[in-house]
Amino acid sequence: MTDDTTLDGYRIAEEPTYHADGDEVAFYDAAYAARLPVMLKGPTGCGKTRFVEHMAWRLGRPLITVSCHEDMTASDLVGRYLLGRDGTHWQDGPLTMAVRYGAICYLDEIVEARQDTTVIIHALTDNRRILPLEKKGELVQAHPDFQLVISYNPGYQSVLKDLKESTKQRFCAMDFGYPDPAIEAAIVAAQAGIAEDQARRLVQIAGKSRNLRGQGLDEGASTRMLIHAGRLMGAGLDLRQACQLALITPITDDADMRLALSAAVDACV
Amino acid sequence: MTDDTTLDGYRIAEEPTYHADGDEVAFYDAAYAARLPVMLKGPTGCGKTRFVEHMAWRLGRPLITVSCHEDMTASDLVGRYLLGRDGTHWQDGPLTMAVRYGAICYLDEIVEARQDTTVIIHALTDNRRILPLEKKGELVQAHPDFQLVISYNPGYQSVLKDLKESTKQRFCAMDFGYPDPAIEAAIVAAQAGIAEDQARRLVQIAGKSRNLRGQGLDEGASTRMLIHAGRLMGAGLDLRQACQLALITPITDDADMRLALSAAVDACV
Amino acid sequence: MTDDTTLDGYRIAEEPTYHADGDEVAFYDAAYAARLPVMLKGPTGCGKTRFVEHMAWRLGRPLITVSCHEDMTASDLVGRYLLGRDGTHWQDGPLTMAVRYGAICYLDEIVEARQDTTVIIHALTDNRRILPLEKKGELVQAHPDFQLVISYNPGYQSVLKDLKESTKQRFCAMDFGYPDPAIEAAIVAAQAGIAEDQARRLVQIAGKSRNLRGQGLDEGASTRMLIHAGRLMGAGLDLRQACQLALITPITDDADMRLALSAAVDACV
Amino acid sequence: MTDDTTLDGYRIAEEPTYHADGDEVAFYDAAYAARLPVMLKGPTGCGKTRFVEHMAWRLGRPLITVSCHEDMTASDLVGRYLLGRDGTHWQDGPLTMAVRYGAICYLDEIVEARQDTTVIIHALTDNRRILPLEKKGELVQAHPDFQLVISYNPGYQSVLKDLKESTKQRFCAMDFGYPDPAIEAAIVAAQAGIAEDQARRLVQIAGKSRNLRGQGLDEGASTRMLIHAGRLMGAGLDLRQACQLALITPITDDADMRLALSAAVDACV
Amino acid sequence: MTDDTTLDGYRIAEEPTYHADGDEVAFYDAAYAARLPVMLKGPTGCGKTRFVEHMAWRLGRPLITVSCHEDMTASDLVGRYLLGRDGTHWQDGPLTMAVRYGAICYLDEIVEARQDTTVIIHALTDNRRILPLEKKGELVQAHPDFQLVISYNPGYQSVLKDLKESTKQRFCAMDFGYPDPAIEAAIVAAQAGIAEDQARRLVQIAGKSRNLRGQGLDEGASTRMLIHAGRLMGAGLDLRQACQLALITPITDDADMRLALSAAVDACV
Amino acid sequence: MTDDTTLDGYRIAEEPTYHADGDEVAFYDAAYAARLPVMLKGPTGCGKTRFVEHMAWRLGRPLITVSCHEDMTASDLVGRYLLGRDGTHWQDGPLTMAVRYGAICYLDEIVEARQDTTVIIHALTDNRRILPLEKKGELVQAHPDFQLVISYNPGYQSVLKDLKESTKQRFCAMDFGYPDPAIEAAIVAAQAGIAEDQARRLVQIAGKSRNLRGQGLDEGASTRMLIHAGRLMGAGLDLRQACQLALITPITDDADMRLALSAAVDACV
């Protein structure tokens, strides 16, 4: 069975820009060569999703991304019977499609999902590489090109909601953080379509905001938020207005913290 | 595919009156120009819904509004299979309609919804701008005119029920409060169809009621409640009766607080 | 579309007796004239339901009453798809029928319902006056005669189960209590079909029982219980027997409280 | 519509023996004459169910009994749509059958049921006497002969699980307890088919067991348990053996309590 | 209607070995003669299930056994509608089959089941002997040969999960424990097919293990575990190996407790 | 009925490498000879699954493996009715297939499953060896070759989630741990395709990591993780990189613990 048409909608046509910040590409290449499952660790909006898109493009593989959530069940991943004119027929879920036809399957924030979704991947992540479709009574042997990738934000997990040790141990893991300032400014300039010096000022502000983490802020401004601010500047707002809208008001309602962030902006104008 | 007919029921034919009280229109224009998702922050009944209606009218876009609640699931937003004469067929939910045909989608009090509804919007609010219909196996690329707007009342959120940091960071945010007294009086007079000086007296009473917030009242009288009182006066009640019915009895059962509010009314007759 | 036949079963043919005890009729008239939603506040069995019936009769509008409960969902109010010979077809719920054809809809003890039922009414209770049938993809614009009424017992609400502030603020509110003794005696005499002096004795007993509220009784005897006692007397029991059956045994199992209530009865024989 | 055939299975052909122990028959007659709902209060196994059977027989009315439980929903009482060859059709539940065709409906231990079942009876227990079938969109006006009866064990209710005050107030209430010793002995002798003096000994033992209530026993031996013991004696066991099997081993595993109960038996041999 | 064929699969063809250890057979005979429901009390694996099988064989009645669990609902016992070619049809559950055709129904560990399953048996366990199939609208009068038996492990019940007093009082109860050593050795020898002296050594070891109950062990070795050990010896393991596999490793992971149990084994080799 | 074709997909064609580390093969042989159910106890990734695969191959039996999880119900194991063109038809679940046609059924981490799944196996694990399909009304007598195996990780169980004593007592149990260093190095070399001395270094590192268990690590590196590291070395990474990716980043985010583990790696380069 060829995977050429089924997964066509999941192929990445153009190279997603990605500015490497270490050995992550070589590491991922090795893990994919060994077809080992990979876990990407790092905070919100630092570029994990973009990295997977870049690697899928680089390796010429289709990419199926699933944002996990509290009410997601194994059936949402694996598939289910639907009722049609002639009774029920089976419909593959996104994970089954990836397993069957050879895509990279990216489960974003898998910790959010219900436990049955994390157990369903066990037989896929050891030497068996099979996906049991229990409701259908089928064992799907993974396509040679299939790989599983998950993301994980260590800052978020609580005791009640964490990956089981027996799940963690099945993955190779790579750390991600915010990029080096020069690289981050290049990313922001490129993706928001603004001048490099404007982007550098946004990165400076982000740095100050990240230092406030844990002192009243849950997280500092992410690269994504800087791109938002840059795009608002492209749409005609000045730096102060753009930072107010994109970097300050979204993340805090505390008056003191807002003052501190505004001062950080003023210092960079 | 044209959106001219599908969303016709969601177009706003007449200009919704809106009295701007700052830069909010310019800010929103920039966010829409950059197609960034927007979060409106502020208390109940201060005009957030009306502002979105005004902007949708101004931008000539259809508006699909969804009031979120505790039992709302991702399917309620995205769509579901219905069983018909020839088996199941898919029916787009309100969010999918907006994404597909290019409306502004306004999710009111999204924090109330179950978590799967907040995660479903992740891929819509980053550079991908896609809505995965997992149950249907379809990736909907957002229409160029689509925009997502949510509302958020900072005074209400508890630790247990708040937006995830990774959701907040995806939005530009704007603060809303009760309007300036002169503007509020104009709004009340216009919408309740009463004289300006009557409206001013209602705004004065509202001011006193808002000062009692946190001293026994959860919230003061909102602009909406003043319009209610005004309309009751238009239906023949006097100021005291109208305030009793619309401003006092609904929000408190505490005898002292009722006395304080009645005294505030008496002082303005 | 005419509402003459659909709601025929909900029209009130004969005038429900109601003894006004203040301005409540004028207040309600004004709220209905302005088509504002109304909240009736007061204890169990004091006549709130009868008042709505009376007003619906007076205004010549059909009345659809729904007793809310913990397991009631938005679908129970709004409607649902039913499976028929030719696939699913939509069936309007009681609220949708009222909205579409112009009835007064009375949601009794709405606080008991699940939160999705209270949010569903938001767009009905502001200037939009629309009911979104999300599952059907229809926006129902309220009939000009439609009005929403809810009841609320302030003595019952706990922190966990109360109307949200953003719901309360959408309603005009009116307080109800037990009627004035002379009026209450007239009501009991009329509805139980007993002599006025017997009714007066029952009202006297009720007064004593209401004074015990908070000293071991959750609530005193309601007007409805007095009518029950009166009807038992009409069926041949004497005052002591009737009060035992209808006023004392139902509300307490505490021996001291029963003695106190029996003494109150003896004092009125 | 006649009720002669539908409820035939619920008619009581032979008189259920019942030994009156006070005014309960006269009280019930009056409540039925006034068609008021009745609540029977008392401990397990003291004869409440038998009393209702007796009264239904006496009044010549069919009796529909429902044992309520934690997972019972309103649909279990009221009815539901079933899927047949030609789509769904409605099936009346036991309460609807009673309301429609004029039976006495006895809801045993209604406190155990989910709250929607207790609210469903509200409109049946005030002057409206209607049962709204919300899912079917039908208002069933109660048959003139219909009456609602519930049982309630005051010793069992916890704060979390009790009838709402607004439910209690809708019922006339009657207390039940274990019968007078002479009457109880007659009941046991008659129903177990043993000699009066054997029955008297069992009643003596029960008295001692009831005195231990609250001192390590949740409840003493009920009349039903005495009948069980009597029937075991009829099947060949001696008094000690029968009491062991029917009165002691079922209700306690505490060694001291078992000794105390055995001693009570020995004293009566 | 004859029960000869429907329940054929539930008839016990060969006598299940049972070694009586007291009056239990006579007691059960009397309870069955009076058709009273029976509760078997005792620890895991002491032979309660085998006793019921023996009695069913002795009385020539079919036996339907149901292992209860937390997710079991009344429908699992009573039956449900299934969807077939011509719409839904009713399928009797195991309890209904027993009631209708006259089997002994044994509900093993009924306390584990949801409460609706325990209430469903109420009308079966008093003088009515009926099973109401509420969903089907049928009252099944119990076959004259029907009897209900339940098991109950007093050591397991918590405050949260126990039989209601009103359920316990409906049953005759019999205590079970581990058999007398000589009898237990005979049972083990017979069922595992080993020599009597080997069986005696296993019983000795079990005695020591049972003495450790409450000192770090939840329960000692049951008769069933001794039979397992015996069968492993029959398959070639020596006493130490068999006890390790069947008596020690399954019940504790505590190093000290394992040492104590191993020493107990060594002392009996 | 022959089992030759139904279970063909579950036969193990090639011998799964397994390095015995004690008497486990002989023990398992005896338990299988006596057809006793077996429980494999031990930490994640130490080879329990591989051992069962080896034994199934050795005994020439098909193997059906089910990874249990929190949302797994009895129906997922036993089977369910599916709706087809001609109404519902029954589909055997994995356990039923094993029972009916004579496979070894391996329930991995059964403690994770809901309780109804653990009770369903009770009648399979005593002398009856039957599986009741309650929903289908069928009693499946186990095929003579059928055996049940479960895994259990003693380090994971909490008070809330543990096997019931009455379940544990039904199994023979065997302990598993990480293999002896020489054996483990041979396994890693063979399965990762690297040189023995490289494998020995990985085993050395694992030893140090296992010593940190309980001092900040939940579990040390498992054999599976060593194989992952080995395969990454095969894909071109050096020892430090491979250990970082496969042994350190996946299991801890603690900076000190990461330093300690890196130092352990450095000491073995």
Side-chain angles (χ1 to χ4, degrees), chain A residues 27 34 41 88 127 165 175, chain F residues 50 83 156 231 249 253 258:
Chain A
F27 275 34
K41 286 183 161 183
T88 51
N127 63 305
E165 196 64 29
D175 288 323
Chain F
R50 185 161 285 256
L83 186 61
Y156 274 10
R231 288 171 64 192
T249 313
D253 297 307
R258 286 196 171 186

Side-chain angles (χ1 to χ4, degrees), chain B residues 135-174:
Chain B
K135 295 212 165 112
K136 197 174 167 224
E138 179 186 353
L139 282 176
V140 185
Q141 182 65 49
H143 187 284
D145 292 343
F146 168 75
Q147 187 198 27
L148 187 68
V149 184
I150 64 175
S151 72
Y152 181 85
N153 185 340
Y156 274 9
Q157 315 320 326
S158 65
V159 174
L160 281 174
K161 206 168 188 176
D162 198 358
L163 284 183
K164 294 200 304 177
E165 196 64 28
S166 66
T167 303
K168 283 185 190 171
Q169 295 208 357
R170 293 160 179 278
F171 287 86
C172 296
M174 298 164 61

Side-chain angles (χ1 to χ4, degrees), chain C residues 44 50 53 68-69 71 80 83 85 91 109 112 156 220 222 224-225 228 231 245 249-250 253 258, chain D residues 27 34 36 41 83 86 88 115-116 119 127-128 135 154 164-166 169-173 175:
Chain C
T44 305
R50 185 162 283 255
E53 291 175 345
C68 300
H69 53 79
D71 304 301
R80 52 169 55 83
L83 187 60
R85 174 177 269 195
Q91 188 186 51
E109 297 201 48
E112 298 293 333
Y156 274 10
S222 64
R224 176 186 296 128
M225 296 170 84
H228 283 186
R231 288 170 66 191
L245 220 66
T249 313
D253 297 308
R258 286 194 170 188
Chain D
F27 276 32
L36 291 176
K41 289 182 159 182
L83 187 60
D86 298 330
T88 49
Q115 242 198 40
D116 59 345
V119 168
N127 63 303
R128 293 173 287 172
K135 296 214 163 109
K164 294 199 304 173
E165 196 64 28
S166 66
Q169 296 208 356
R170 292 162 179 277
F171 287 85
C172 296
D175 289 322

Side-chain angles (χ1 to χ4, degrees), chain D residues 187-188 191-192 222-232, chain E residues 36:
Chain D
I187 294 173
V188 172
Q191 296 198 15
S222 64
T223 310
R224 175 186 296 127
M225 294 169 85
L226 302 186
I227 297 169
H228 283 185
R231 288 170 64 191
L232 289 171
Chain E
L36 291 177

Side-chain angles (χ1 to χ4, degrees), chain D residues 183-242:
Chain D
I183 295 177
E184 191 168 27
I187 294 173
V188 172
Q191 296 198 15
I194 56 173
E196 281 266 347
D197 71 307
Q198 285 182 312
R200 267 195 300 273
R201 260 183 279 170
L202 287 169
V203 171
Q204 260 186 293
I205 295 166
K208 296 185 184 189
S209 135
R210 290 166 193 167
N211 289 338
L212 291 168
R213 190 177 160 185
Q215 299 172 36
L217 275 193
D218 283 341
E219 294 212 23
S222 64
T223 310
R224 175 186 296 127
M225 294 169 85
L226 302 186
I227 297 169
H228 283 185
R231 288 170 64 191
L232 289 171
M233 292 167 75
L237 299 191
D238 65 27
L239 181 68
R240 269 197 190 87
Q241 291 174 319

Side-chain angles (χ1 to χ4, degrees), chain D residues 50 83 156 231 249 253 258, chain E residues 34 41 88 127 165 175:
Chain D
R50 184 161 284 256
L83 187 60
Y156 273 11
R231 288 170 64 191
T249 313
D253 297 308
R258 286 195 171 188
Chain E
K41 288 182 160 184
T88 50
N127 63 305
E165 196 64 28
D175 290 321

Side-chain angles (χ1 to χ4, degrees), chain C residues 131-152:
Chain C
L131 177 65
L133 307 182
E134 278 154 21
K135 296 215 163 110
K136 196 172 169 226
E138 179 186 352
L139 282 176
V140 186
Q141 182 65 50
H143 187 284
D145 291 342
F146 168 75
Q147 188 198 25
L148 187 69
V149 184
I150 64 176
S151 73
Y152 181 86

Side-chain angles (χ1 to χ4, degrees), chain F:
Chain F
M1 194 177 294
T2 169
D3 57 311
D4 282 328
T5 61
T6 311
L7 296 182
D8 276 2
Y10 297 94
R11 293 190 181 277
I12 299 171
E14 288 168 53
E15 174 173 2
T17 0
Y18 179 76
H19 299 75
D21 197 27
D23 294 331
E24 67 265 35
V25 172
F27 276 33
Y28 192 103
D29 276 342
Y32 187 75
R35 293 300 185 272
L36 291 176
V38 169
M39 181 196 299
L40 308 181
K41 287 182 161 184
T44 305
C46 73
K48 299 188 296 294
T49 298
R50 185 161 285 256
F51 174 67
V52 182
E53 290 175 345
H54 180 75
M55 291 308 299
W57 171 84
R58 205 177 127 90
L59 295 163
R61 291 283 87 215
L63 174 69
I64 299 185
T65 300
V66 182
S67 299
C68 300
H69 53 78
E70 228 175 58
D71 303 302
M72 170 174 280
T73 64
S75 293
D76 292 326
L77 283 181
V78 156
R80 52 168 58 80
Y81 280 104
L82 290 179
L83 186 61
R85 177 178 267 193
D86 299 331
T88 51
H89 66 273
W90 177 262
Q91 188 186 50
D92 278 348
L95 177 60
T96 306
M97 281 171 57
V99 169
R100 216 188 271 283
Y101 301 113
I104 293 171
C105 186
Y106 178 45
L107 304 180
D108 197 11
E109 298 200 50
I110 193 174
V111 157
E112 299 292 334
R114 298 201 322 186
Q115 240 197 43
D116 58 346
T117 60
T118 56
V119 168
I120 214 74
I121 61 177
H122 276 196
L124 270 175
T125 49
D126 58 26
N127 63 306
R128 292 173 286 171
R129 280 180 61 91
I130 53 172
L131 177 64
L133 308 182
E134 278 155 21
K135 297 216 163 106
K136 196 171 170 231
E138 180 185 352
L139 281 177
V140 186
Q141 182 65 50
H143 187 284
D145 292 342
F146 168 75
Q147 187 198 27
L148 186 68
V149 185
I150 65 175
S151 73
Y152 181 86
N153 185 338
Y156 274 10
Q157 316 320 326
S158 65
V159 174
L160 281 174
K161 208 167 185 174
D162 198 358
L163 283 184
K164 294 199 304 176
E165 196 64 29
S166 66
T167 304
K168 283 185 189 170
Q169 296 207 357
R170 291 161 179 278
F171 288 85
C172 295
M174 299 166 61
D175 289 321
F176 281 78
Y178 300 118
D180 186 84
I183 293 176
E184 191 169 26
I187 294 173
V188 171
Q191 295 198 16
I194 57 172
E196 281 266 349
D197 70 306
Q198 285 181 312
R200 267 195 299 274
R201 260 182 281 170
L202 287 170
V203 170
Q204 260 186 292
I205 295 167
K208 296 186 184 190
S209 135
R210 290 166 193 167
N211 289 338
L212 291 168
R213 190 178 161 186
Q215 300 172 35
L217 275 194
D218 282 342
E219 292 213 22
S222 64
T223 311
R224 177 187 295 129
M225 293 170 86
L226 302 186
I227 297 169
H228 281 186
R231 288 171 64 192
L232 289 171
M233 292 167 75
L237 299 191
D238 65 26
L239 182 68
R240 268 197 190 88
Q241 291 175 319
C243 289
Q244 188 66 38
L245 220 65
L247 304 188
I248 301 178
T249 313
I251 57 172
T252 182
D253 297 307
D254 181 78
D256 291 342
M257 196 50 61
R258 286 196 171 186
L259 273 179
L261 288 167
S262 293
V265 172
D266 289 342
C268 298
V269 178

